[in-house]
Amino acid sequence: MPNRSKVTILAIETSADETSAAVLLGDKKTGKFKLLSNLIYSQIKIHQKTGGIVPEVAARAHIPKIIPVVKLALRQAKTRLGEINCLAVTTGPGLVTSLMVGVDTAKALAFALNKPIISINHLEGHLLSALGGQNLQLTTYNFPALGLVVSGGHTMLVLIKRIGEYKILGQTLDDAAGECFDKVAKILGLPYPGGPVLAKLARKGDPEAFVFPRPMINSNDYNFSFAGLKTHVLYFWQTFQKTNVIAALPRRYVGVARNDKNIKADIAACAEQAIIDVLVAKTINAAKKIKAKAILLGGGVSANLKLRKILAEAVKKNIPNSTFHIPDSDLTTDNAGMIAVAGYFHFINGHYATSEKIITNPNWELGSWR
Ligand code: KG4
Ligand code: ZN
């Protein structure tokens, strides 16, 4: 007799430059679930040549990888395709042609298997990614919660009234936090992808070497802006290149010969610190305002160790009754595991459809129509 309370979900994510598939085993009765596999094929090597993602190139690169990645995810999960009860797929937001590869693969599988399929918002995946590794149960989870999603395309604070019910409290008005990491790295001539490389270099630098702006840190809202910081770093670096003189050079550096490597590390550390200070200040303000019982961090930038540490300390100090949740490292940057987690919550709430109802929605705003 098959156990009818069990559900096995196959999730697919291709919204940008990662081809990913994951298998989740959940229990509808207990609300418990476990990720059995979470396979990611990264296109980083391809995009290193251009120093960024070319959408058409990314979409084409998904095509030869999607079936092998799905097969490997199933094999690693020791699950046969016939055992899948439901598909979950990222339908937006993202690069339309990249999304279409994953969406059409998931639709074809759902059609052939005669199984339901769930349309998942990529940002909801990041928002709930912290729940994946810890396998938190819905019943033990406290609301309202606050989510900070920090990725290459988005930076937003989200009120989570309950899972599936979201309100964006604020978001970036220009560049996302990850984009700022990437652009500062590019200015300093660091290789793609800039964020993790800049973070690594920052460890060797002094975060107080220079005074960099913290845009909108005191604005009375939950919006962000990182374009000004990037421009500040650009002018700062260009001035140094031209004159070998650092604007606003702290007194202790005067007369000290500085080579490019040290200056780059200091700039990396100062830029990272400025981004983190803004993210942490806004998150604490928003958490106090909504009386958040839990804070969830997600998105590619949540891989940043300094952000994790400083935010954890700030939550403990300022809102000691709240819990703080971070994703496991393989659930930080784009992955299908987080899509499977979001899919599981929607599955138990009956939010699934047949394959012909599923469409790609590259501009899908979190919290709007699904
Ligand atoms: O979530 P993600 O994989 O893709 C989007 O949905 O955008 O996020 C990618 C972003 C990139 O900007 C990347 O540089 C940044 O996350 N990132 C980091 C780190 N690891 C990835 N930024 C800062 N520190 C890191 N360790
Ligand atoms: Zn993402």
Side-chain angles (χ1 to χ4, degrees), residues 13-18 62 90 92-96 98-99 122 334:
E13 151 71 44
T14 61
S15 67
D17 60 338
E18 319 280 10
H62 282 305
T90 306
L95 304 170
V96 63
S98 283
L99 285 164
H122 180 77
D334 293 349

Side-chain angles (χ1 to χ4, degrees), residues 69-82:
V69 167
V70 167
K71 272 172 120 173
L72 218 57
L74 287 165
R75 196 184 308 156
Q76 213 176 74
K78 296 188 172 55
T79 302
R80 280 176 287 110
L81 192 55

